[in-house]
Amino acid sequence: MQKKDFQNWSKEKLLHEYKELSKRKKFGIVWEDKTEEVAEQCKTHLPVLREEKKKVISTDKNVVNHVFIEGDNYHALSVLNYTHKREIDVIYIDPPYNTGSRSWKYNNNYVEKEDRYRHSKWLSFMSKRLRLARNLLTDRGVIVVAIDDYEQHTLRALMDELYGEQNRLGTIVVVHNPRGRNDDKYFATMHEYLLVYAKNKDLAVVKHFAFTEEDIDEFRKEDDISAYNETSFMRTGNNSDRPTRPNLYYPIYFNKRTQELSLKNLKGFIKLLPINEKGEEKTWRWGKETFLEKWQTELLVREVKGKYRIFKKRRIIDLQGRKPKTVWYKPRYDASSSGITILNNILGNKHGFPYPKSLYAVEDILEILSYKDSTILDFFAGSGTTGQAVLDLNKKDNGARRFIICTDNSDNNGGGTKIAEDICYPRVKRVIEGYSINGKKITGLGGNLRYYSTELVGNVKTDNDKRIFTSRCTEMLCLAEGTFDEVASKKGAFVLYENPAQMTGIIYE
């Protein structure tokens, strides 16, 4: 940032500057914003899309059209701000971790550990993209960012600033390397993070996982209503003390012979209070009105260590499923067996893509955050894990989710392999159409894919510029409307596109 010379400023100008500085926030993350070439280009040029018709995948006109955008994701996000503003339900991204190991470039140069502006460059890079991405989310939309310890602390502060600390839904620790990294000097790292933010937490929904057979086995008891297990009727944890919820502290009377419960002190009944083993006064889970309504079918009493305790039936039919927890440590989240091995099976062992995500870690987070008709965006698509995860979910629940994945076509690790054309696109294509593993045919999951490349056109200044720019907007208009099949056209005059539900006409005037 250029330093200001206050020496010759007038009193009025100094006072104005003082007032402006006083308005600034007093707490937050501060970094030296660095200029980025791809963002600067958008000041003089406009990003547009060009459809790569030879790379279109079409299996059925009546199924979902997914979108692949090849190019810098800043340009892709700029285009999507026109075509998909407030239309994305879930964003999942796995950005560069900024490890300093020549794995990430800024302005075409590797950012190494010795770079004194390493963190500032990364924050500038992420801030520009996260701001554009926020515009794309629906009001109930959610964004998930995978990260590790190199930038987790700065990313969280940046996300708090951009999306609001109050909209942070949680931080999930994913055990992606249960063996631990042996080259770590002090502690063998086993985990990374998923930061989950909502555009508006009051509208966002986090679903439960479906019960597994192991979960169902926990409900071993059954009555005339359903299977159940038992939990204490006395509250524990936060807001469980008598002073906090005094209306939930009251005596319940129990008859040992008849097993009846009552709020009245009747003959032959003993008094039970929500007092734990430490003698602390707690509260019941229900108020008196709910107790009178439900106790006969939902409560029971057992003797525990010489004292009678009330238990509530926890019914499987009342539960939405298994509530997601903040630590994910199942074997399916291992990035080696569920990431590298899966990618090797699809592309062969020579792809050279480092550290693909566990397919099932991505699939599970999308399962609890998306709906069957959600649009899901990944603008750091890498090897295409998000695309495959969406296709898998659609197959599993007969959904119609749509993915938009964006990646550039840079050389992968300097080995001559292009990320878009040699890794990401071939993976998605094979998953859609089918492939073979050691002679065994794997059936494709189906779906359609439209493939676009980003391009830049000069700012519109003349009538001819207008004609050129208008003609270059056709793909963006069709993408915005979801109409991809050309019906009729007359060069320079008009074009018609359609999908099973609608038709789009573009007149070049």
Side-chain angles (χ1 to χ4, degrees), residues 418-447:
K418 302 292 188 179
I419 291 178
E421 64 185 69
D422 296 328
I423 299 174
C424 192
Y425 174 71
R427 177 185 190 169
V428 173
K429 179 179 173 65
R430 292 178 190 183
V431 171
I432 289 175
E433 297 180 339
Y435 58 98
S436 296
I437 303 175
N438 298 323
K440 181 183 177 182
K441 185 170 178 56
I442 306 299
T443 304
L445 299 177

Side-chain angles (χ1 to χ4, degrees), residues 145-179:
V145 187
I147 200 68
D148 73 356
D149 284 314
Y150 283 96
E151 293 289 358
Q152 191 262 1
H153 57 298
T154 57
L155 176 64
R156 179 164 165 161
L158 178 61
M159 295 289 285
D160 282 351
E161 180 179 295
L162 298 180
Y163 290 85
E165 182 181 355
Q166 74 280 5
N167 289 316
R168 189 195 315 134
L169 301 184
T171 301
I172 300 170
V173 176
V174 182
V175 179
H176 72 298
N177 182 5
R179 297 159 298 282

Side-chain angles (χ1 to χ4, degrees), residues 228-241:
Y228 67 89
N229 59 22
E230 298 173 5
T231 186
S232 175
F233 186 55
M234 181 170 55
R235 283 180 177 270
T236 58
N238 294 333
N239 299 320
S240 64
D241 296 326

